[in-house]
Amino acid sequence: QVQPMASGGGSVQAGGSLRLSCEVPGYMYNDYCGGWFRTASEEAREDLAVIDSSGITMYGDTGKGRFTISKDTDKKTLTLLANNLKPEDSGMYYCVTDSGPCDLMALRSWGVMNYWAQGTQVTVSS
């Protein structure tokens, strides 16, 4: 496996939850960092949550209080738990990862991490 692989998108009603998961490339050491980004349109790109090599997390404004990012270094995964979803949360969600060590602040910028999973669609209905 060379690229990350994401899963867990789907359709949910407003107020519901989704758990998005991403398998990171097997060759990465356990100090990998990662994040979840979202696009609702070409103009609307958002950083939702990032996690650095040590497991320290940082959230964009959208993700604060509702989303939780975590990583499991035994399983080589990244997970985003999205709670209390709203219709405006609909969009394509992307898992991104890279080898550590990583600068937490820099991770929030689109394009800093190099390994992108295919997007997974999330649709929230009212």
Side-chain angles (χ1 to χ4, degrees), residues 3 6 10 17 19 25 28-30 37 42-43 46 51 55 59 81 83 86 93 97 100 106 110 123 125:
Q3 292 297 119
S17 299
R19 188 180 193 91
M28 287 191 175
Y29 295 111
N30 287 345
F37 293 75
E42 191 62 34
E43 294 75 27
E46 291 184 83
I51 187 167
Y59 295 89
L81 178 61
N83 293 322
K86 306 172 183 179
Y93 285 61
T97 188
W110 187 281
T123 303
S125 57

Side-chain angles (χ1 to χ4, degrees), residues 38-46 88-92 94:
R38 177 175 80 192
T39 59
S41 67
E42 191 62 34
E43 294 75 27
R45 294 176 170 180
E46 291 184 83
E88 53 264 41
D89 290 319
S90 297
M92 192 68 77
Y94 294 92

